Structure formats: structure tokens, C-alpha cells
């Protein structure tokens, strides 16, 4: 099959449809030709996550000619010394590996001797020194590397190196093949095998896929089996690490595709051989499931340790492979949207299309103006086109995610997922709300891990729209979906989490170092939270019931991308108390808001006004402060609704968006507790008319209906 791929690459190079991909492949290969980097016998890479400005989280500027000077273009500061120099070395070898793969593929496809010679030279250079590299580590929660500082990066690099070798193998002399195999491929495989992770983890996906590919390249069934088979091998990762609906358990779309990518690299290398994995059921489900969570703006939800922005174009290269392997029309539809191919509804969006520039488009790309069976593109089953999926609501009890979308381009994401291990942000029942492309209540995602704000703020309960008890992080627990519905008046979802039992779904199969366990289990002992959310035309309703067995401080948290605007004479005062256990300097200009009972707030956004009506069943204090956003040199307004009780408290918040600055446009919400325990009557105006809802809340079920509707 690799020979078939080479023939297809030759056919696509020069085609106008693949001009960007051909140019990108050529540019990377030519960059390798120009490189004068000489691999030293004592190379010692650092952690690439340190190659970021610690102040604003911007990536530093890599320059081949300045290995000891690293400039941040955002703030202009030049960083020197460690850890930046070591990170530069790792980035240099990452680029060499990528360039090697490109030079080997392009040189082999087109028979360009200068590229073939450069690729051979670099492979032999690595083979001459790799065995002598000293294992080193020290990156938190990661195994060591030899050339790099962690096992993960070693696996990344060797996947590129191994692919280059596979493209070149038939053009190498026997003694060159032997030197490369025994000098770099086998020792790297044995090193990775010695440091396999005994857990379900995205790192393990990369490491086991790399071992499997090395075993295939070396024709060593022992190594292949070491990578693929047994507990925590690649097949086990795919079987048990992928949730029922196809999402990777770590709960971030970035890590979903990050875990999928090495599987695809391995799959392309072995397709058509006895090791072919294309029919493993989890792989196709991993392609399918995320498509239902892309928003109308073409953006994936930002959850857990994820980049703050990932749009439909970010993962388009993987769907080149999906379309080639499985032929589903929706994959071609995804690609047309990502690349802006077609007219009207077929192309573009509120995001900027990306160029079709990946190597996977050269290896697998189809003519996107026609379907795989040769018919003109566009005939999709009703409700299954990408546009329709992006505009539709979706809820999954398996992945624990709900997306609600309405006709006004409001998009709500509610996280009632299983605990997702090392990359979790300890924010069960957290939510994120957008209106079109504008963020209203955002999940901030995170930064590079070497930036202080990652572990200092973004990776904690308190930076999310959820509940914190006694100012502590939530312990591991699995969320639950209690119900969801599409009604004539809007859409709703109910979810719950409790800490009555210490176990959680993934506990037997993940490793949590003590440093990654910052929570306080006692603060949440026997506590429970139920949340009901609804989109109702021009309004968003958030109802949260918290139950604690003894005296606790309950904080309901909101983080608004705007500024608080108060009517005259509101009676606010400075707040001198403690927000939570985190560094107090994170909270700037803390303010204790007046009007302790039912109140209304207004927030000034970039393009309009966010009106909030607020009610609580208990005496409540509302505290506001400016806190870091993402990037960390930006600021959000954080609103804390705080009660200190034993027993039960219910919070009701109604949010409405207005393009005018008329304070008289009310967001008032009126709440009464019904005679039946666990029931509320919630009344407010939506779409210009008064609405009255019956809301049922319990740990096992929750629902929402108009009062006129029957049970």
C-alpha cells in the first residue's frame, strides 16, 4: 500500500487542488536541505512547554541561527538560558524529524536525489550517536527521554523518523539499513518499551503506536506485539480509553485528536498488511463523535487541558484519512467547510477557512467537488450535513457532554462527564456559553504547561462556571445526565454530581501523582449538586441546587468576558475576605456587591450588554473581582455567589443579551418554592412574554416544563 500511496502523491503534486499541500511539503523538505545543524554526541533536549513567555503565554520565536536567544513577539522580551535553551534543542530536533519525513516522501515520490541524499545523511547521523544519548527527565508526571526530556517527545520524533525510513528503505543500501536499524530504530524501540505507561493515557497511545511502527519497520513481531497487545497496549487503549459514543476519555477535543493522530500514522504505515487496523471499531467512532459538538461558529468546545480555540480547520488533515478509509459523505462535507470549497452553504462560515496544505491531503486526498462514488457533491441525508450538525443540539450520557443551540446562535456546553484524569480541570457541571462568535461565559481552556498560570489558576475549579465548596478544588467524581429535552419553548438539560462515594469510572486505569491531587475530599464529603440549564430564545436560565451535610461555604462561580456596570447608588463596598485557597493576587479590585437578596446586574460586553437576574433560597453574598483570562495578560470579571450553610441552597440566574444600553430592559426572575419538596416555580420574561415554569430537582431526576403543560 505504501507504493500505491507514492503513486497517488506523484499524481496529486502539481494538481491545482493540491497546490498548497505540495508547496508545504516542498517548503519543509527544502528547509531541511538548508539546515546546517550538526547533531552532537551529547544532545540533551528540554521540555517544549517551556518555550513560552511566562508572562503572556505566547510562544517564543525559534531561530536556527540563535539557539541561545528566544524572543516573545507579544511583549518583546528576549529570554536566555535554561529552560529555554533546552526547549530550543527539542524544537530543533522536532523540526529535523518533520523535515526528514517530508524530504524522504518527496524525494522518493519524485526521485529527487538531493532530497534522498539529505534524508539518508540525517538518518545515518542519528544512527551514529543515538545510542550514546543519556536518559534524562524531570518533567512533571512524565517518563524520561534520551534525545528529548520525556518519553512522549521521543515517541513523537521517532514516528517521523520511522516513517522517513519506511519511505526510503528500498532505496538504501543493505549496510545503511543495518546501521539505521541498529543505531537508532531498535534502541529507541527498546527504550520506549522499557518506559511504556501502565495506564490509559494519550501519552500511552503515542508510545505504543511508535513501538508498533518500529516493530513493523524492523520486522520484529516481539516489538510489534509489545506496542499493540496486552494490557495498556494500543488496542487496549482504543478499546477502553474511548467512551461509548467515541470520545477519548480525557475530555478535551485537543487530546481526542492528539490521541487519534499516532493511530492514524501507524495505520497508514501498515495498511494492506496483516497488521492493518482500519477496521478497529473505535477508530471510526473517534472520527464521528466530535462532529456533533462543533458549534455553529465552527469552533470546538474548549474543555480541560485544551487550547482556548480549535476550529473546524484545526483537524481537517485527519478527515482526509477518514474520507479515504471509510468514504462517508460527511467527511468530505467537513473538508469542504474547513477549506472553503464550494458555494453558499457548502463553503465558508464565521471562521476563516484554512488552506488544504497537509501531507495527508497528498497521501489520501479526494476531489472534494465530487463524492467518492463519482457523483457531484452535496447530496447529504437530511440532518446529517456538517452545517446541520453544527446547528443542532446534542447530548450524550456516555461522553458526558451536552451542546444546546438555538436559532439565535446561542451555544451552551454543559460538562457532566466522567472524571478525566491528569488533564481534568476539576469542574464537574461546568458550562460555557457563546452567542455567535462572542464569548459570554467561557471555559478558558489552558496555556502551555510551563506557563505559571496553568497550574496556578486555569487548572482549578475556581476558574470555571461551577460550584466550589470551602474554596477548594472538586475531588474526582463522575457527572451524570439526569435528562434533556427539546420543547416548543426551547431546550434544556439537567445534570448532577455527588461525592458520596470515592470511586470514579477511570480510577483503576489512570495514575494521579500526589502533585496532581490538589483537592480536599473532606470539603466535598457527602455533598451533591444538581444543575438545570435552558436556552429560551433570548434568555439563558441556570438553576443550581447544592446540598451539604454540615456547615460549608458554597460558591457558585461565573466568569464574564466583560465589565460590571452598576446603576447609581448600588451600595457596593470593597471585599477584604478570602475567595479560595489559590493565590489572593489573582483577584484584582475585589468588590462586595450590595442588594443581598434578589438582584439584577448588567455586564458590558464587546458588542452589547449582558443582563443578569439573580435569586437564591438562602442569604447570599455576591462578590466580584477581575481575574486572569486566557491569554493570562487579559482579564475577566469573576462573580461569586456565596452562601454559608448546612443543608440545601438553590440558586436561580437568568441571563439575557441586549444590544442596547437601556437599563430598563429587565432580567428579573421570580422564584417560589412549590408545596412539593424538590419543586420550584420560576417566572420570568422571555421573547417578550411572561413564562412560568415548574422545575423538579432531585439527585436522581430533574425536569423543566411550562406550568400549562401536564406532568
Amino acid at each position: 500500500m505504501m507504493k500505491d500511496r507514492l503513486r497517488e502523491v506523484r499524481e496529486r503534486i502539481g494538481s491545482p487542488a493540491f497546490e498548497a499541500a505540495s508547496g508545504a511539503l516542498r517548503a519543509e523538505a527544502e528547509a531541511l536541505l538548508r539546515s546546517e545543524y550538526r547533531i552532537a554526541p551529547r544532545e540533551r533536549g528540554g521540555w517544549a512547554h517551556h518555550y513560552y513567555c511566562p508572562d503572556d503565554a505566547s510562544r517564543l520565536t525559534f531561530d536556527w541561527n540563535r539557539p541561545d536567544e528566544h524572543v516573545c513577539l507579544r511583549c518583546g522580551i528576549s529570554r536566555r538560558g535554561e529552560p529555554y535553551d533546552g526547549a530550543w534543542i527539542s524544537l530543533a530536533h522536532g523540526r529535523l524529524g518533520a523535515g526528514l519525513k517530508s524530504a524522504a516522501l518527496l524525494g522518493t515520490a519524485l526521485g529527487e536525489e538531493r532530497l534522498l541524499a539529505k534524508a539518508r545523511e540525517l538518518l545515518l547521523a542519528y544512527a551514529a550517536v543515538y545510542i550514546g544519548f543519556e536518559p534524562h527527565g524531570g518533567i512533571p508526571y512524565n517518563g524520561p527521554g534520551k534525545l528529548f526530556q520525556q518519553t512522549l517527545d521521543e515517541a513523537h520524533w521517532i514516528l517521523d523518523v520511522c516513517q522517513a525510513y519506511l519511505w526510503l528503505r528500498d532505496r538504501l543500501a543493505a549496510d545503511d539499513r543495518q546501521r539505521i536499524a541498529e543505531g537508532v530504530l531498535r534502541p529507541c524501540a527498546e527504550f520506549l518499551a522499557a518506559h511504556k505507561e501502565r495506564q490509559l493515557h494519550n501519552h500511552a497511545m503515542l508510545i505504543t503506536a511508535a513501538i508498533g511502527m518500529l516493530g513493523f519497520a524492523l520486522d520484529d513481531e516481539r516489538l510489534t506485539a509489545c506496542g499493540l497487545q496486552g494490557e495498556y497496549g494500543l488496542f487496549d487503549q482504543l478499546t477502553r480509553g474511548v467512551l461509548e459514543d467515541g470520545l477519548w476519555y480525557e475530555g478535551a477535543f485537543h487530546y481526542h485528536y492528539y490521541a487519534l493522530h499516532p493511530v492514524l500514522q501507524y495505520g497508514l504505515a501498515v495498511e494492506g498488511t496483516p497488521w492493518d487496523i482500519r477496521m478497529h471499531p473505535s477508530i471510526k467512532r473517534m472520527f464521528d463523535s466530535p462532529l456533533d459538538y462543533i458549534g455553529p461558529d465552527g469552533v470546538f468546545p474548549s474543555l480541560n487541558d485544551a487550547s482556548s480555540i480549535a476550529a473546524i480547520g484545526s483537524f481537517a488533515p485527519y478527515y482526509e484519512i477518514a474520507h479515504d478509509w471509510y468514504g462517508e459523505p460527511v467527511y468530505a462535507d467537513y473538508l469542504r467547510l474547513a477549506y472553503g470549497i464550494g458555494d453558499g452553504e457548502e463553503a465558508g462560515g464565521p471562521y476563516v477557512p484554512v488552506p488544504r496544505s497537509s501531507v495527508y491531503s497528498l497521501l489520501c486526498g479526494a476531489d472534494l467537488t465530487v463524492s467518492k462514488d463519482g457523483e457531484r457533491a452535496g447530496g447529504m441525508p437530511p440532518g446529517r450535513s456538517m452545517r446541520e450538525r453544527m446547528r443542532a443540539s446534542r447530548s450524550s450520557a456516555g461522553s458526558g457532554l451536552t451542546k444546546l443551540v438555538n436559532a439565535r446562535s446561542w451555544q451552551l456546553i454543559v460538562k457532566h462527564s466522567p472524571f478525566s484524569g491528569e488533564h481534568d480541570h476539576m469542574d464537574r457541571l461546568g458550562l460555557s456559553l457563546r452567542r455567535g462568535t462572542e464569548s459570554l461565559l467561557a471555559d478558558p481552556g489552558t496555556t502551555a504547561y510551563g506557563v505559571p498560570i496553568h497550574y496556578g489558576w486555569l487548572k482549578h475549579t475556581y476558574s470555571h462556571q461551577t460550584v466550589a465548596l470551602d474554596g477548594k478544588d472538586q475531588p474526582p467524581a463522575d457527572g451524570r445526565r439526569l435528562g434533556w429535552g427539546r420543547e416548543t419553548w426551547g431546550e434544556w438539560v439537567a445534570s448532577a454530581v455527588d461525592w458520596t462515594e470515592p470511586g470514579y469510572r477511570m480510577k483503576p486505569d489512570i495514575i494521579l501523582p500526589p502533585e496532581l491531587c490538589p483537592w480536599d475530599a473532606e470539603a466535598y464529603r457527602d455533598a451533591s449538586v444538581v444543575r438545570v440549564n435552558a436556552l429560551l430564545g433570548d434568555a439563558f436560565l441556570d438553576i443550581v441546587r447544592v446540598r451539604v451535610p454540615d456547615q460549608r461555604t458554597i460558591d457558585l462561580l461565573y466568569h464574564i468576558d466583560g465589565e460590571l456596570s452598576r446603576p447609581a447608588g448600588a451600595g457596593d463596598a470593597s471585599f477584604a475576605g478570602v475567595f479560595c485557597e489559590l493565590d489572593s493576587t489573582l483577584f484584582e479590585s475585589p468588590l462586595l456587591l450590595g442588594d443581598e437578596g434578589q438582584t439584577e446586574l448588567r455586564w458590558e460586553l464587546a458588542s452589547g450588554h449582558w443582563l443578569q437576574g439573580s435569586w437564591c433560597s438562602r442569604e447570599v453574598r455576591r462578590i466580584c473581582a477581575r481575574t486572569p483570562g486566557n491569554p493570562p495578560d487579559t482579564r475577566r470579571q469573576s462573580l461569586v455567589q456565596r452562601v454559608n450553610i448546612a443543608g440545601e441552597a438553590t440558586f436561580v440566574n437568568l441571563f439575557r443579551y441586549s444590544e442596547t444600553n437601556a437599563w430598563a430592559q429587565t432580567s428579573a426572575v421570580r422564584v417560589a418554592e412549590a408545596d412539593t419538596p424538590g419543586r420550584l416555580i420560576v417566572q420570568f420574561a422571555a421573547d417578550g412574554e411572561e413564562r412560568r415554569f415548574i422545575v423538579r430537582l432531585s439527585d436522581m431526576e430533574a425536569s423543566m416544563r411550562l406550568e400549562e403543560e401536564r406532568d
Side-chain angles (χ1 to χ4, degrees):
M1 287 292 286
M2 293 192 72
K3 291 181 179 179
D4 293 338
R5 293 291 181 197
L6 281 173
R7 184 182 67 251
E8 292 169 359
V9 169
R10 282 193 293 270
E11 292 172 355
R12 293 180 183 115
I13 287 177
S15 166
F18 299 99
E19 182 179 357
S22 302
L25 183 66
R26 171 69 65 182
E28 197 163 56
E30 295 284 350
L32 184 73
L33 280 179
R34 295 190 300 272
S35 171
E36 299 179 358
Y37 191 92
R38 292 294 176 262
I39 304 168
R42 295 290 182 268
E43 295 283 69
R44 191 178 179 89
W47 194 23
H49 276 279
H50 281 142
Y51 211 68
Y52 290 82
C53 176
D55 297 329
D56 57 41
S58 297
R59 186 160 183 152
L60 301 179
T61 304
F62 178 93
D63 188 331
W64 282 108
N65 300 313
R66 296 184 177 181
D68 55 0
E69 184 178 349
H70 321 286
V71 179
C72 173
L73 295 181
R74 188 177 176 100
C75 68
I77 296 175
S78 177
R79 310 283 174 176
R80 292 178 177 270
E82 294 296 344
Y84 309 107
D85 291 351
W88 186 95
I89 291 172
S90 283
L91 291 173
H93 285 285
R95 294 188 179 205
L96 289 174
L100 171 60
K101 180 176 68 174
S102 296
L105 173 56
L106 191 60
T108 304
L110 300 183
E112 295 191 16
E113 291 300 328
R114 62 194 187 114
L115 293 177
L116 294 169
K118 183 66 174 181
R120 172 184 175 274
E121 172 193 323
L122 188 55
L123 280 171
L124 290 172
Y126 276 124
V129 296
Y130 185 81
I131 289 179
F133 293 156
E134 293 292 332
H136 60 290
I139 295 176
Y141 332 120
N142 291 277
K146 280 172 62 71
L147 174 54
F148 298 85
Q149 198 176 349
Q150 62 175 341
T151 320
L152 173 69
D153 290 339
E154 210 85 14
H156 261 299
W157 168 78
I158 202 63
L159 279 166
D160 285 345
V161 171
C162 189
Q163 287 174 86
Y165 173 77
L166 289 170
W167 292 123
L168 287 174
R169 182 167 53 185
D170 291 346
R171 291 175 174 264
L172 293 171
D175 61 334
D176 285 347
R177 290 200 299 269
Q178 179 73 9
R179 290 163 64 191
I180 294 165
E182 300 305 321
V184 62
L185 301 185
R186 188 173 299 281
C188 186
E190 299 290 358
F191 180 83
L192 294 178
H195 294 92
K196 282 175 58 178
E197 294 199 356
R198 301 291 300 168
Q199 64 171 330
L200 300 177
H201 199 282
N202 69 84
H203 289 198
M205 291 277 268
L206 274 144
I207 294 165
T208 56
I211 297 169
M213 188 187 291
L214 287 163
F216 174 75
L218 294 165
D219 196 22
D220 186 327
E221 291 195 10
R222 177 188 63 85
L223 280 174
T224 301
C226 176
L228 303 184
Q229 298 172 0
E231 189 177 33
Y232 303 120
L234 183 63
F235 293 156
D236 191 36
Q237 300 284 334
L238 283 168
T239 300
R240 296 195 294 129
V242 178
L243 300 173
E244 291 85 347
D245 67 350
L247 286 180
W248 178 248
Y249 86 90
E250 287 179 283
F253 287 90
H254 166 81
Y255 274 114
H256 175 91
Y257 288 104
Y258 188 73
L260 178 60
H261 187 208
V263 178
L264 304 182
Q265 292 175 288
Y266 173 77
L268 284 171
V270 303
E271 60 184 353
T273 76
W275 301 105
D276 199 320
I277 63 168
R278 286 175 289 180
M279 291 302 106
H280 192 292
S282 290
I283 297 175
K284 188 173 185 304
R285 288 192 293 119
M286 290 183 77
F287 280 123
D288 289 338
S289 184
L291 303 184
D292 289 318
Y293 293 101
I294 306 171
D297 56 355
V299 174
F300 286 85
S302 178
L303 302 167
N304 288 348
D305 280 351
S307 168
S308 58
I309 297 178
I312 191 170
S314 304
F315 306 114
Y318 306 150
Y319 286 90
E320 300 276 11
I321 302 171
H323 187 244
D324 180 87
W325 283 2
Y326 306 114
E328 295 282 354
V330 71
Y331 301 151
D333 201 36
Y334 180 106
L335 293 170
R336 284 192 292 271
L337 283 174
Y339 300 140
I341 296 173
D343 300 314
E345 283 287 292
E346 294 295 324
Y351 54 90
V352 178
V354 299
R356 196 180 189 184
S357 58
S358 80
V359 67
Y360 297 127
S361 65
L362 290 175
L363 289 167
C364 304
D367 181 351
L368 294 175
T369 63
V370 298
S371 65
K372 220 174 148 57
D373 60 7
E375 297 179 357
R376 297 303 300 173
M380 297 285 295
R384 302 310 295 166
S385 76
M386 279 307 306
R387 285 286 193 187
E388 289 168 317
R389 290 169 81 145
M390 290 157 61
R391 293 168 178 163
S393 296
R394 164 76 166 137
S395 184
S396 170
S399 68
L401 291 181
T402 291
K403 177 185 82 170
L404 300 185
V405 178
N406 69 13
R408 305 190 187 198
S409 295
W410 288 38
Q411 176 194 323
L412 173 71
I413 299 292
V414 180
K415 177 182 173 183
H416 42 86
S417 59
F419 178 71
S420 45
E422 175 186 344
H423 294 292
D424 203 274
H425 278 198
M426 296 162 284
D427 61 324
R428 295 282 88 62
L429 309 195
L431 56 81
S432 184
L433 183 68
R434 297 169 65 86
R435 177 184 176 271
T437 60
E438 185 172 27
S439 170
L440 301 174
L441 300 167
D443 186 310
T446 197
T447 63
Y449 300 160
V451 177
I453 203 71
H454 168 69
Y455 287 112
W457 172 244
L458 296 175
K459 202 174 171 62
H460 293 276
T461 302
Y462 223 79
S463 62
H464 296 78
Q465 343 278 342
T466 187
V467 170
L469 300 183
D470 289 346
K472 311 291 180 65
D473 284 328
Q474 294 179 3
D478 295 337
R480 308 187 308 279
R481 187 189 69 187
L482 300 181
W484 78 300
R486 296 171 177 167
E487 318 294 349
T488 56
W489 45 263
E491 301 193 14
W492 63 273
V493 63
S495 52
V497 64
D498 67 73
W499 290 272
T500 57
E501 298 291 339
Y504 50 94
R505 173 176 176 161
M506 304 305 295
K507 187 173 184 178
D509 294 305
I510 59 176
I511 298 170
L512 290 175
E515 299 89 342
L516 283 180
C517 304
W519 52 80
D520 186 327
E522 183 59 24
Y524 289 80
R525 176 184 49 80
D526 293 333
S528 66
V529 181
V530 177
R531 189 166 212 168
V532 177
N533 298 115
L535 291 183
L536 308 103
D538 67 352
F540 164 61
L541 183 65
D542 184 27
I543 302 172
V544 181
R545 193 218 67 190
V546 185
R547 184 174 289 159
V548 292
D550 47 38
Q551 199 76 17
R552 314 262 176 99
T553 297
I554 301 170
D555 288 345
L556 175 61
L557 306 163
Y558 296 107
H559 305 275
I560 296 97
D561 289 312
E563 293 293 330
L564 178 65
S565 174
R566 300 281 287 165
D572 302 336
S574 295
F575 176 68
V578 175
F579 281 91
C580 63
E581 282 196 327
L582 302 179
D583 185 351
S584 62
T585 63
L586 293 165
F587 301 88
E588 300 175 359
S589 306
L591 195 65
L592 178 63
L593 304 183
D595 302 323
E596 291 189 355
Q598 182 163 315
T599 192
E600 296 186 30
L601 302 173
R602 183 173 65 177
W603 309 89
E604 304 298 331
L605 309 178
S607 64
H609 309 275
W610 195 218
L611 308 174
Q612 178 182 2
S614 181
W615 175 91
C616 186
S617 63
R618 299 292 194 107
E619 182 178 343
V620 62
R621 292 198 300 170
R622 297 180 178 89
I623 313 159
C624 188
R626 301 178 78 240
T627 58
N630 188 10
D633 59 346
T634 63
R635 291 293 180 270
R636 302 186 292 172
Q637 284 280 2
S638 294
L639 174 67
V640 181
Q641 298 185 6
R642 173 172 290 180
V643 299
N644 189 280
I645 61 158
E648 182 179 301
T650 301
F651 304 83
V652 179
N653 285 271
L654 178 73
F655 295 87
R656 295 179 64 188
Y657 180 85
S658 171
E659 293 182 352
T660 72
N661 62 1
W663 180 252
Q665 183 170 348
T666 181
S667 58
V669 57
R670 295 170 296 285
V671 182
E673 297 183 81
D675 295 337
T676 305
R679 282 192 172 199
L680 296 176
I681 300 171
V682 182
Q683 187 173 346
F684 53 88
D687 288 333
E689 63 179 79
E690 199 71 17
R691 301 287 184 89
R692 185 178 170 94
F693 290 91
I694 305 297
V695 180
R696 179 183 300 157
L697 298 166
S698 79
D699 290 339
M700 300 307 297
E701 63 174 344
S703 63
M704 180 176 177
R705 66 173 178 83
L706 279 172
E707 187 179 33
E708 293 81 3
E709 297 175 347
R710 300 174 63 182
D711 283 323

